[in-house]
Amino acid sequence: MYATQALTHVVPLAEEFDKNKVTPGVLGFIVFAALAVGVWLLMKSMNRHMGRVNFEEAPDPDAVSADAKASGTATGHAR
């Protein structure tokens, strides 16, 4: 069966509905609720994973060299 033939069978059924009263219905609610639960679970998982991250920022190399120059110590090898 071609798509155009299937469409011609469905179009007369669609004309029977009142276009002002058509709502998403129960299926729309179920899909929306499933998406909401999925997003909630993803956020919960992300928060748990972010809590496990142990991030220590490395010192800025420019700040370290400026501190070393200010204190008078050389950062190279003596020859």
Side-chain angles (χ1 to χ4, degrees):
M1 178 182 253
Y2 293 107
T4 54
Q5 289 175 339
L7 187 60
T8 57
H9 291 294
V10 173
V11 170
L13 294 175
E15 290 176 358
E16 294 175 9
F17 293 115
D18 184 10
K19 294 180 182 179
N20 295 325
K21 293 184 180 179
V22 175
T23 62
V26 175
L27 179 62
F29 175 75
I30 291 171
V31 169
F32 180 77
L35 287 172
V37 168
V39 168
W40 180 73
L41 289 172
L42 284 172
M43 293 296 291
K44 188 175 176 181
S45 174
M46 182 191 69
N47 284 332
R48 186 173 44 236
H49 282 87
M50 292 301 287
R52 293 179 184 170
V53 172
N54 187 8
F55 177 73
E56 226 176 273
E57 188 172 347
D60 188 17
D62 295 332
V64 171
S65 63
D67 289 340
K69 288 179 185 176
S71 65
T73 59
T75 58
H77 294 287
R79 291 186 185 190

